[in-house]
């Protein structure tokens, strides 16, 4: 028998939908019914999302200062708000949870205006624009990297971490074993659709500057955009270095588990997965990211000693070659980085987020939830 409905709201991109999907699975396992409200972009993910129903509510972003465009956007948001109010009045959810993106604005505003318990989850270390609009209105804020001890909303913020895929949790069981001597050194390089282009040029050039002995040890996995794949493959063939080049790896979690060093962008999901698995990394934040959220995400892992962050503008082929060569020569340092990265991971993020939703749905306060977490930690210390 269902405990009631939890309404999840997320923008139609993977970065917003994947953590919502992980939470949805856990809520269903706890006997809640789950509905998703999103935009039309989410249709490609609809088959995987474990929702009883998926609802599309009109929404828009103020992308232009043109008066006519702003008027149209305002009207669309107003239309979405009215549709969201009708939906919430019909479904009567126990709580509404937003995961960022402008499609979350109408349902979260509708929930707060109707007195329905509400909360948001922010994946990044810097709050996105939609979540900023909602932060003052919701009862609780869960954060992937958001600090819970400072800022205007510290009192209602809990750092839960970002939910990660089951494959990542499985990969986290693989211990880090350093590459020593002449052992193969597995290097994994990847970036989002915007990030992979830089690596497609930078990595082969950097590897060409290594010694023959260093290249003989390298085994490379590299993500490359479809239009770059043939060129990157050709470069590695000329270098006579073993490399697996693809625009998409369905087994990326397993490849990360086998990696001795990871070079990648620092999106919230990426940093969270590297931390949970526990692998040393060189993070190159996407320089054109809104609000510089990738740079902030990177610093969250660098602070533990688990990663090195380098600006793309500073990453010449010579510097990249030096970083890779230095890493290959210092397995002890990589072992320490792997342990530090893992200490920053949140493998129980999905469970903790579901616990938080349950508390909010019961109309309890975040203060009570934080107190319960403190007691659990104390009890764990007593029984350790």
């Amino acid at each position: 028998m269902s405990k009631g409905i939890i309404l999840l709201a997320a923008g139609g991109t993977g970065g917003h939908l994947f953590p919502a999907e992980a939470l949805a699975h856990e809520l269903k396992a706890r006997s809640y019914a789950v509905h998703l409200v999103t935009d039309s972009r989410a249709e490609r993910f609809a088959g995987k999302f474990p929702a009883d129903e998926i609802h599309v509510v009109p929404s828009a972003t103020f992308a232009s200062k043109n008066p006519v465009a702003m008027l149209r956007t305002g009207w669309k948001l107003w239309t979405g708000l009215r549709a969201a109010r009708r939906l919430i009045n019909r479904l009567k959810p126990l709580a509404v949870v937003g995961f960022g993106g402008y499609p979350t604005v109408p349902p979260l505003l509708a929930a707060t205006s109707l007195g329905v318990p509400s909360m948001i989850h922010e994946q990044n270390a810097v709050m996105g624009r939609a979540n900023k609009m909602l932060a003052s209105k919701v009862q609780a804020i869960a954060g992937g990297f958001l600090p819970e001890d400072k800022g205007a909303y510290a009192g209602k913020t809990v750092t839960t971490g970002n939910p990660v895929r089951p494959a990542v949790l499985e990969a986290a069981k693989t211990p880090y074993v350093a590459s020593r001597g002449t052992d193969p050194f597995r290097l994994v390089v990847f970036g989002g659709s915007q990030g992979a282009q830089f690596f497609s040029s930078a990595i082969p050039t950097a590897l060409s500057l290594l010694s023959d002995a260093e290249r003989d040890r390298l085994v490379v996995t590299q993500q490359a955009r479809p239009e770059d794949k043939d060129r990157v493959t050709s470069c590695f063939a000329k270098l006579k270095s073993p490399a697996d080049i693809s625009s998409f790896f369905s087994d990326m979690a397993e490849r990360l588990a086998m990696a001795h060093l990871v070079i990648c962008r620092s999106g919230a999901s990426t940093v969270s997965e590297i931390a949970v698995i526990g692998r040393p990394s060189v993070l190159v934040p996407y320089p054109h990211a809104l609000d510089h959220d990738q740079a902030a995400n990177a610093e969250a892992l660098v602070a533990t000693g688990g990663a090195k962050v380098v600006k793309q503008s500073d990453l010449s082929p010579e510097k990249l070659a030096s970083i890779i060569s230095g890493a290959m020569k210092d397995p002890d340092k990589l072992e320490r980085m792997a342990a530090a990265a893992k200490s920053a991971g949140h493998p129980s993020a999905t469970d903790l987020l579901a616990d938080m939703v349950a508390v909010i749905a019961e109309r309890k306060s975040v203060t009570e939830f934080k107190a319960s977490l403190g007691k659990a930690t104390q009890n764990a210390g007593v029984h350790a």
Side-chain angles (χ1 to χ4, degrees), residues 30-332:
R30 299 188 185 195
S31 300
Y32 289 98
V34 175
H35 287 234
L36 172 68
V37 58
T38 184
D39 61 30
S40 57
R41 294 175 298 169
E43 291 176 357
R44 55 185 167 153
F45 301 105
K48 296 182 179 180
F49 205 100
D52 294 79
E53 286 186 54
I54 296 178
H55 312 273
V56 175
V57 167
S59 186
T61 173
F62 288 100
S64 171
K65 294 183 179 180
N66 179 287
V68 176
M70 292 183 70
L71 188 61
R72 287 174 179 166
T73 297
W75 175 252
K76 195 167 186 179
L77 285 170
W78 172 247
T79 303
L81 178 60
R82 293 179 63 189
R85 286 176 64 93
R86 290 194 297 270
L87 178 66
I88 290 173
N89 279 325
R90 177 169 67 85
L91 295 179
K92 295 179 171 53
L94 299 175
V96 179
V97 186
F99 284 85
Y102 275 92
T104 66
V105 174
L108 266 296
L109 288 180
T112 56
S113 68
L114 293 169
V116 178
S118 60
M119 61 178 278
I120 54 176
H121 179 273
E122 173 57 56
Q123 294 85 47
N124 293 293
V126 176
M127 193 173 288
R129 288 175 294 175
N131 277 344
K132 281 181 181 177
M133 291 177 60
L134 299 166
S136 65
K137 298 175 174 61
V138 297
Q139 279 77 52
I141 301 170
F145 296 100
L146 289 178
E148 56 184 63
D149 56 351
K150 58 184 178 181
Y153 308 111
K156 57 181 177 182
T157 299
V158 177
T159 305
T160 59
N162 288 314
V164 296
R165 299 169 292 144
V168 173
L169 296 176
E170 186 62 30
K173 298 175 183 177
T174 302
Y176 182 79
V177 179
S179 170
R180 300 178 183 277
T182 59
D183 292 344
F185 187 94
R186 286 181 288 273
L187 176 67
V188 175
V189 184
F190 67 99
S193 58
Q194 296 172 310
Q197 182 180 19
F198 170 75
F199 294 132
S200 292
S201 298
I203 294 296
T205 305
L207 299 191
S208 71
L209 301 176
L210 299 179
S211 69
D212 291 341
E214 288 169 333
R215 279 198 301 274
D216 286 345
R217 290 177 61 195
L218 276 175
V219 179
V220 180
T221 289
Q222 181 164 349
Q223 179 197 39
R225 300 185 310 168
E227 58 266 39
D228 296 333
K229 181 181 175 182
D230 289 345
R231 176 171 58 84
V232 177
T233 301
S234 175
C235 288
F236 274 97
K238 291 176 182 177
L239 292 173
K240 298 181 180 179
S241 291
D244 198 350
I245 313 298
S246 179
S247 58
F248 177 77
F249 292 98
S250 60
D251 60 344
M252 182 56 84
E254 291 85 348
R255 290 173 183 267
L256 286 174
M258 299 303 292
H260 294 111
L261 179 67
V262 180
I263 300 176
C264 60
R265 292 303 193 192
S266 51
S269 295
T270 295
V271 174
S272 297
E273 292 186 357
I274 289 173
V276 168
I277 296 173
R279 294 298 177 265
S281 60
V282 177
L283 302 176
V284 187
Y286 181 59
H288 308 298
L290 289 173
D291 304 317
H292 302 290
D293 54 340
Q294 287 210 3
N297 295 340
E299 289 299 332
L301 193 52
V302 170
T304 70
K308 177 182 179 66
V309 62
V310 186
K311 292 180 180 179
Q312 181 172 306
S313 58
D314 294 338
L315 200 58
S316 65
E318 290 78 11
K319 181 164 185 174
L320 186 53
S322 176
I323 290 172
I324 296 170
S325 176
M328 296 177 75
K329 294 172 182 174
D330 199 345
D332 291 339

